[in-house]
Amino acid sequence: MKAASKFLSAASAVTLSAAMVVPGALAVQFVATSAAEAAVVSRVEVSGNQRIDAETIRNYITIKPGKAFSSSDIDGAVKALFGTGLFSDVQINQVGSTLVVKVAEYQVVNQVLFQNNKKLKDNALAAAVQLKPRGTFSQATLDADVESVKAAYRRIGRDDVTVTTQVMQLGDNRVNVVFNIVEGDRTQIAAVNFVGNSAYSSRRLADIINTKRSSWLSFVLRDDVYDDDKLRADEELLRRFYYNHGYADFQVVSAVGELDSATNKYTVTITVQEGDRYTFGDVSVESSIPEVDGKSLESVIETHKGDVYNAKNVEDSIIALTEKVAGSGYAFAQVTPRGDRNFENHTISVVYTIDQGTKAYIERIEIRGNDRTRDYVIRREFDVSEGDAFNQVLIQRAKKRLENLNYFEKVDISTVPGSQPDQVVLVVDVVEKSTGEFSVGAGYSTGGDTAGPSVEGSVTERNFLGRGQFIKLSAGGGKNSRDYSLSFTEPYFLGRRISAGFDIFKSTREYDNYDSDTTGATVRFGLPITDSISTQLAYNISQEKYELDDSCDANGDGVPDPGCSVSTAILDGIEQSPWIKSSVSLGLVYNTIDDMKSPHEGIYATTTVEVAGLGGDAKFVKVTGRGSIYQTLSEQYDLVGLISGGAGHVEGYGSDGLRIFDQFQSTDRMIRGFAYGGIGPVDTATGDHLGGTTYFNASAEAQFPLPVIPESFGLRGAVFADAATLYGSKVDTAGVTQDSVGMKLRASVGLGLMWASPFGPIRIDYAIPVKKEARDDVQEFNFGISTRF
């Protein structure tokens, strides 16, 4: 009875161990022939193996001939053999003085084949499944791979995909695995509905989230793919939006997508609870560190009494305080905001408390998931490294920087305990995405020096060779233009947060009576000063060639044919061609725009100083500046106001003075309703506009969504008023009187239609000049791919 009990106990233990190691194992059997506590065998016999050498199997187990073993040794042998992942079944029996180890090997996968797949290529599906050629086959893995293939199709919007499998026996324990796929139709999103919102319209909220209603553009944008993870991310986008606009009590009650199997369309419903809008009450800084005066730190915070509550400003204040205190020698200082809500007057008073914090150091930064991107590209976004004090604020800043690189679909940073109590390990998990683009596009523009139809093709890589470098090669042209360019940017030059790059370009233009050919290069360096201010220094060199076109100079002698009227200033420039321009430029950019694709709030301002004359023929100093202020006028109706202005002045020096090609020409960015180069000083003898040395311009605009049209189309309307002047001329016109040299104001009013298209921002403007001069060239209609920045 005692022997039988031991037998049952041993058999149960072995069976349970095998089941824990490999689910679905057939059985593990141990037959004891002795009731003794330990046994000895004279040999170990292996059977059932086909590919695996018997001696290799013996080496996996600790039971050796001539040595005593027990039931626990049998358990260990079973676990060791199953742990290799090579066997689907293991049976161990003691027969007399022989220990018999009987195994059943997993079959080997010869090929993994995909049939009838068109929307996802073989390599994409092969990366999604676990079964690989020359790997082992198991039914459990195959079942999991079927779900992985379905998940891959769901990510591209094909929820009704069906996947069946076929296992083809090839002999010699080898199999081919075939996935038969019926891709089905694209699953669309019929509607995105918001419930509970009153402060903001559903159209406005739909602009914020990434899940979009299906439209005729969805086949290009691919933004109507339903995904649970994407919807969870949309919840966070909504929370951030409301928190940054004063709604501190906002919450997403629910966000669900319901699939109608009959139409294969989702209806997404997001229920929100907005709560009341708050402003900041009293704001102060308190410090428990004796050497740190909280009062003196109030100047660095970005939250002020009376302002609308803004969670981002609170976060920025925490960062500013942390950096300020850390710079004073308190690396472990911890800044904690404490909010006190007054529900009666809807204010939130904030106290930033500075404490010493727990001392912890970063033992190691472990990066996972970056199959392509090099480790150092990720590490350099951190302001901390191994051995530094752990600072949660700096870690979160690094996370934002990594997300802004646009190299990864997902970035997660977590911590695990280190080898010592005061040590932590940072674990950075990333999911990479494609960073290469090949595009071919066509367009049409009515203004500028490239008016007419045009085509462009480009190859772009944002993460070249996984080094974080940007490279772009493009070529394009239209009826009167040709352009070729190569650009390269290294974002961390010499290991520092300084960008360095170059541009090589060649462009040709055909004007009314003459043609131009410009070949040049730029070497540039960029430096971020703060999160919102950056500067760029560049050296530019180019060769410009000008010549009369065939219609004006049929015999090619450089003299205009009779009937071809060309200003002497242009003829002088052509005669002295080619020109070499060598210059340095310094630019400064201030940018607080909330969304560069669809701006609603913030300021974008830029100024540039260019000095030409470091060799070459051109000698001038040119100063330009432009600024735009966006402000939401009505949150309920998504009405956005824009005020922008600009100015520029160029001054020549030296004996040669300015060329006509160095002066400013008017564009639609300066004033709408007039043709390119259509205002300013005029050569009265020929009617040619000569450009000017100085300009000022201003614009006021209101942007609004178009009624009836779904927001997913990306269409918005605008009404605007422009004013500008372009005056002054220093070019020599051989004694011919110049007209309109003085400052004279032009003005226009009009309507605009903006489309955030897959090909870039397209804008159509119709402007009517309400103040103009007799010799101005009017162009009321303007169409083109453009941006106001």
Side-chain angles (χ1 to χ4, degrees):
M1 189 69 179
K2 183 178 180 181
S5 176
K6 288 186 177 182
F7 165 75
L8 292 174
S9 176
S12 299
V14 173
T15 304
L16 179 60
S17 299
M20 292 174 62
V21 176
V22 180
L26 297 179
V28 179
Q29 299 177 3
F30 172 64
V31 179
T33 59
S34 172
E37 290 292 336
V40 177
V41 293
S42 59
R43 67 192 184 97
V44 177
E45 181 179 299
V46 178
S47 64
N49 56 310
Q50 299 181 24
R51 304 185 321 276
I52 313 301
D53 185 69
E55 190 60 32
T56 299
I57 296 175
R58 294 188 185 99
N59 290 334
Y60 278 117
I61 65 177
T62 58
I63 301 173
K64 305 297 179 184
K67 293 186 178 182
F69 66 92
S70 65
S71 60
S72 62
D73 295 318
I74 295 294
D75 291 345
V78 170
K79 291 178 181 179
L81 291 174
F82 272 121
T84 64
L86 300 173
F87 308 108
S88 60
D89 187 26
V90 175
Q91 297 181 19
I92 298 179
N93 298 285
Q94 182 180 349
V95 181
S97 62
T98 301
L99 187 71
V100 179
V101 180
K102 186 176 181 180
V103 297
E105 296 177 355
Y106 277 121
Q107 294 176 304
V108 176
V109 178
N110 180 59
Q111 285 182 300
V112 179
L113 305 173
F114 303 94
Q115 294 184 350
N116 303 318
N117 54 306
K118 297 179 181 179
K119 301 302 179 181
L120 286 176
K121 301 302 182 184
D122 286 2
N123 57 352
L125 294 174
V129 299
Q130 300 178 60
L131 291 175
K132 307 292 182 184
R134 296 181 298 279
T136 58
F137 170 83
S138 74
Q139 185 62 44
T141 304
L142 179 61
D143 294 341
D145 284 348
V146 169
E147 296 305 315
S148 296
V149 172
K150 290 181 178 179
Y153 272 95
R154 282 195 294 270
R155 285 192 291 271
I156 64 169
R158 293 184 178 270
D159 288 47
D160 61 343
V161 63
T162 58
V163 181
T164 58
T165 60
Q166 182 180 4
V167 180
M168 303 174 64
Q169 301 291 335
L170 303 178
D172 295 330
N173 214 27
R174 296 180 304 121
V175 295
N176 280 348
V177 179
V178 182
F179 292 87
N180 297 300
I181 301 169
V182 179
E183 295 180 318
D185 296 326
R186 284 193 73 239
T187 305
Q188 298 181 324
I189 297 179
V192 179
N193 301 321
F194 293 89
V195 178
N197 55 305
S198 59
Y200 296 94
S201 66
S202 296
R203 178 189 290 268
R204 178 72 179 104
L205 298 182
D207 287 339
I208 296 167
I209 64 175
N210 292 322
T211 300
K212 303 295 184 183
R213 174 185 173 185
S214 297
S215 68
W216 62 278
L217 283 173
S218 297
F219 79 98
V220 176
L221 298 175
R222 299 297 182 185
D223 56 1
D224 65 335
V225 176
Y226 178 81
D227 183 80
D228 285 330
D229 291 338
K230 187 178 178 182
L231 195 56
R232 300 289 83 77
D234 286 340
E235 292 182 34
E236 181 60 26
L237 290 175
L238 287 171
R239 276 189 286 269
R240 281 194 161 273
F241 173 76
Y242 272 94
Y243 291 164
N244 291 340
H245 288 80
Y247 294 89
D249 295 330
F250 172 83
Q251 58 180 315
V252 178
V253 178
S254 64
V256 295
E258 297 181 356
L259 178 64
D260 184 343
S261 57
T263 61
N264 197 29
K265 292 182 179 181
Y266 275 99
T267 297
V268 177
T269 303
I270 302 175
T271 304
V272 302
Q273 184 175 321
E274 293 177 326
D276 296 319
R277 196 181 196 200
Y278 290 83
T279 58
F280 283 111
D282 294 329
V283 179
S284 60
V285 180
E286 295 179 355
S287 173
S288 64
I289 304 174
E291 295 81 4
V292 176
D293 179 22
K295 193 71 176 178
S296 65
L297 295 173
E298 292 182 358
S299 60
V300 305
I301 61 179
E302 299 185 19
T303 51
H304 306 285
K305 184 176 182 178
D307 290 349
V308 174
Y309 176 81
N310 188 307
K312 182 179 183 301
N313 288 347
V314 175
E315 294 175 2
D316 293 342
S317 297
I318 294 172
I319 293 174
L321 287 169
T322 301
E323 291 181 338
K324 185 73 172 180
V325 176
S328 300
Y330 298 91
F332 299 100
Q334 182 176 351
V335 180
T336 305
R338 185 177 71 252
D340 182 14
R341 303 189 191 192
N342 187 319
F343 295 100
E344 294 181 0
N345 60 15
H346 299 140
T347 61
I348 300 178
S349 297
V350 181
V351 177
Y352 297 95
T353 304
I354 302 175
D355 299 312
Q356 182 61 258
T358 304
K359 289 187 177 181
Y361 298 88
I362 299 174
E363 178 179 340
R364 187 173 73 256
I365 299 177
E366 183 178 326
I367 302 172
R368 303 184 303 201
N370 56 320
D371 297 329
R372 184 167 180 270
T373 305
R374 316 243 175 146
D375 272 15
Y376 71 83
V377 173
I378 297 174
R379 289 178 181 273
R380 68 192 184 189
E381 299 300 330
F382 287 83
D383 291 327
V384 293
S385 58
E386 283 89 346
D388 288 348
F390 175 79
N391 189 309
Q392 185 63 46
V393 171
L394 299 182
I395 302 305
Q396 290 304 312
R397 172 183 279 187
K399 183 176 184 294
K400 290 182 180 179
R401 286 175 177 164
L402 289 172
E403 291 171 338
N404 291 337
L405 290 176
N406 201 23
Y407 301 163
F408 311 109
E409 292 182 359
K410 187 177 182 182
V411 178
D412 286 324
I413 301 179
S414 58
T415 60
V416 296
S419 59
Q420 301 294 328
D422 63 345
Q423 303 278 331
V424 296
V425 177
L426 284 184
V427 180
V428 184
D429 289 297
V430 299
V431 178
E432 294 182 311
K433 65 180 179 181
S434 176
T435 56
E437 297 175 358
F438 172 74
S439 64
V440 177
Y444 184 87
S445 175
T446 57
D449 59 356
T450 59
S454 62
V455 295
E456 181 183 13
S458 65
V459 178
T460 305
E461 175 55 63
R462 301 192 308 274
N463 187 12
F464 183 59
L465 298 179
R467 300 174 182 270
Q469 299 164 334
F470 175 91
I471 187 169
K472 180 178 181 179
L473 177 65
S474 65
K479 179 181 178 181
N480 302 312
S481 63
R482 301 289 186 276
D483 292 284
Y484 309 93
S485 66
L486 171 65
S487 296
F488 175 83
T489 302
E490 165 56 63
Y492 276 75
F493 183 59
L494 299 179
R496 299 183 178 275
R497 200 163 284 150
I498 299 174
S499 66
F502 65 83
D503 307 292
I504 302 172
F505 58 89
K506 180 179 177 61
S507 63
T508 62
R509 298 288 185 268
E510 298 177 3
Y511 300 100
D512 289 341
N513 297 314
Y514 66 96
D515 302 333
S516 71
D517 187 328
T518 304
T519 303
T522 296
V523 178
R524 47 189 163 73
F525 299 89
L527 173 65
I529 300 174
T530 68
D531 288 342
S532 56
I533 302 175
S534 61
T535 184
Q536 180 169 292
L537 176 68
Y539 171 73
N540 318 281
I541 186 168
S542 62
Q543 181 189 65
E544 303 173 10
K545 297 180 180 179
Y546 300 91
E547 61 180 7
L548 294 171
D549 61 23
D550 294 340
S551 63
C552 193
D553 183 17
N555 55 15
D557 60 1
V559 178
D561 295 339
C564 180
S565 179
V566 183
S567 172
T568 56
I570 296 176
L571 291 175
D572 287 345
I574 293 174
E575 182 179 344
Q576 298 177 49
S577 173
W579 293 78
I580 300 294
K581 184 179 79 171
S582 175
S583 70
V584 293
S585 58
L586 177 65
L588 190 67
V589 176
Y590 176 74
N591 182 9
T592 61
I593 296 296
D594 58 344
D595 184 349
M596 296 297 287
K597 293 181 179 179
S598 179
H600 281 71
E601 294 180 356
I603 299 174
Y604 186 92
T606 178
T607 182
T608 303
V609 178
E610 182 180 10
V611 179
L614 284 75
D617 305 301
K619 290 180 172 57
F620 62 79
V621 178
K622 183 179 290 186
V623 182
T624 58
R626 180 178 178 83
S628 299
I629 302 175
Y630 286 86
Q631 180 64 50
T632 300
L633 303 178
S634 171
E635 296 171 341
Q636 175 65 30
Y637 298 104
D638 193 14
L639 181 63
V640 179
L642 164 64
I643 297 177
S644 62
H649 180 72
V650 58
E651 191 71 37
Y653 65 91
S655 57
D656 294 335
L658 282 176
R659 304 171 300 158
I660 185 174
F661 307 114
D662 296 329
Q663 297 195 138
F664 296 109
Q665 293 286 345
S666 66
T667 68
D668 66 314
R669 287 174 60 83
M670 186 182 296
I671 185 169
R672 288 162 284 194
F674 296 85
Y676 172 78
I679 68 172
V682 177
D683 187 334
T684 55
T686 64
D688 291 321
H689 283 86
L690 305 176
T693 59
T694 307
Y695 74 88
F696 294 96
N697 73 287
S699 178
E701 182 170 298
Q703 301 175 356
F704 49 86
L706 296 179
V708 181
I709 299 177
E711 72 282 346
S712 58
F713 280 36
L715 288 171
R716 290 178 66 84
V719 293
F720 59 84
D722 293 349
T725 181
L726 175 65
Y727 63 96
S729 180
K730 299 292 182 67
V731 300
D732 183 9
T733 55
V736 177
T737 302
Q738 298 179 37
D739 193 12
S740 304
V741 174
M743 179 189 292
K744 296 182 179 180
L745 187 68
R746 279 83 167 175
S748 65
V749 294
L751 302 172
L753 180 65
M754 299 170 290
W755 179 31
S757 79
F759 322 106
I762 293 178
R763 179 157 182 145
I764 303 173
D765 289 317
Y766 180 78
I768 300 175
V770 295
K771 185 174 179 56
K772 62 187 181 69
E773 297 298 315
R775 295 182 181 274
D776 291 342
D777 292 336
V778 174
Q779 181 175 290
E780 297 177 343
F781 179 77
N782 187 76
F783 173 84
I785 296 180
S786 65
T787 176
R788 302 306 295 175
F789 297 114

